[in-house]
Amino acid sequence: AQSVTQLDSQVPVFEEAPVELRCNYSSSVSVYLFWYVQYPNQGLQLLLKYLSGSTLVKGINGFEAEFNKSQTSFHLRKPSVHISDTAEYFCAVSSALDYKLSFGAGTTVTVRA
Amino acid sequence: DGGITQSPKYLFRKEGQNVTLSCEQNLNHDAMYWYRQDPGQGLRLIYYSQIVNDFQKGDIAEGYSVSREKKESFPLTVTSAQKNPTAFYLCASSLGETQYFGPGTRLLVL
């Protein structure tokens, strides 16, 4: 079974500043890793995913994440945030065997002017 | 316009009542999923179906039931046995490893 820990429940950040959201996972088998974003009262939107290959993954809206197998981490970064990036962000992991997703508890990002 | 639709957007349940949440997809995805979201707890898997006429329990299936009679549809029934049903319910579908989500249904208890 897999599990995910998002290390920060809330991240306040000023507009145009960089942001990093931390995610660690545990699994005994090969995994796929995902970041989703959720705006208030909406569903989840896929930001990016790591399946294999290059460990640096670029996603939508200027986000990127780096897979680090030795540290079992998949941290999400954006070099310059906008007010519109205010949302909740979820890290998720699935096994390469059955594709069932396990989610972290989420990180709420609040961008201030 | 392809995607996943959930209805209704808001649903009110009276005590002792069963209610059904709708999830439809026109993406031709084989697998469909139901999740429950509570504040600060992320998403938890209720049921999932990898093929028509087959489904499996997730981590929190008690008090819920599903059916998968058509590829496009995966309705979720919240039964009276679910004592704490107030939550945001999300449906997803996938063709392979990536899941795509609907807009959600918020269930409230009167």
Side-chain angles (χ1 to χ4, degrees):
Chain A
Q2 300 81 237
S3 67
V4 177
T5 302
Q6 291 184 240
L7 297 160
D8 308 290
S9 60
Q10 300 203 25
V11 174
V13 58
F14 286 106
E15 194 175 18
E16 298 183 7
V19 69
E20 179 180 79
L21 308 184
R22 297 178 294 167
C23 173
N24 287 101
Y25 69 93
S26 66
S27 177
S28 57
V29 298
S30 294
V31 296
Y32 299 134
L33 293 153
F34 305 83
W35 276 100
Y36 287 89
V37 60
Q38 184 180 35
Y39 301 101
N41 293 310
Q42 295 187 25
L44 273 65
Q45 180 182 2
L46 180 68
L47 273 178
L48 49 76
K49 61 184 177 183
Y50 172 80
L51 305 180
S52 65
S54 173
T55 56
L56 183 62
V57 179
K58 294 191 182 297
I60 63 170
N61 301 341
F63 285 93
E64 64 180 33
E66 185 153 20
F67 170 59
N68 188 319
K69 188 174 182 179
S70 62
Q71 296 187 7
T72 61
S73 68
F74 191 53
H75 300 332
L76 180 72
R77 302 184 183 95
K78 185 169 182 178
S80 176
V81 296
H82 303 293
I83 298 288
S84 59
D85 292 320
T86 295
E88 189 157 22
Y89 293 80
F90 291 96
C91 182
V93 62
S94 72
S95 158
L97 299 176
D98 65 10
Y99 301 155
K100 285 170 58 181
L101 279 176
S102 296
F103 285 86
T107 298
T108 300
V109 173
T110 304
V111 181
R112 301 170 181 167
Chain B
D1 192 14
I4 304 169
T5 57
Q6 292 187 241
S7 61
K9 188 174 177 65
Y10 294 95
L11 185 58
F12 297 90
R13 193 190 92 162
K14 296 179 182 177
E15 198 157 337
Q17 186 182 40
N18 292 353
V19 293
T20 297
L21 286 62
S22 169
C23 177
E24 304 276 331
Q25 54 99 0
N26 61 4
L27 301 169
N28 201 31
H29 286 175
D30 291 318
M32 297 186 74
Y33 309 80
W34 274 107
Y35 293 90
R36 171 179 171 139
Q37 184 178 21
D38 296 282
Q41 293 192 43
L43 280 70
R44 293 180 289 168
L45 183 63
I46 305 172
Y47 268 98
Y48 64 104
S49 168
Q50 294 177 313
I51 197 168
V52 175
N53 291 323
D54 189 41
F55 49 82
Q56 288 78 40
K57 293 181 179 180
D59 301 318
I60 55 164
E62 186 174 351
Y64 300 97
S65 66
V66 294
S67 62
R68 186 85 187 276
E69 297 176 0
K70 298 187 298 182
K71 188 175 185 178
E72 314 83 66
S73 178
F74 190 41
L76 174 74
T77 296
V78 183
T79 75
S80 57
Q82 173 50 245
K83 297 306 179 188
N84 184 24
T86 297
F88 193 49
Y89 290 85
L90 287 157
C91 177
S93 70
S94 70
L95 185 66
E97 76 289 328
T98 304
Q99 293 185 24
Y100 298 92
F101 286 80
T105 292
R106 188 165 298 280
L107 177 59
L108 301 164
V109 177
L110 293 175

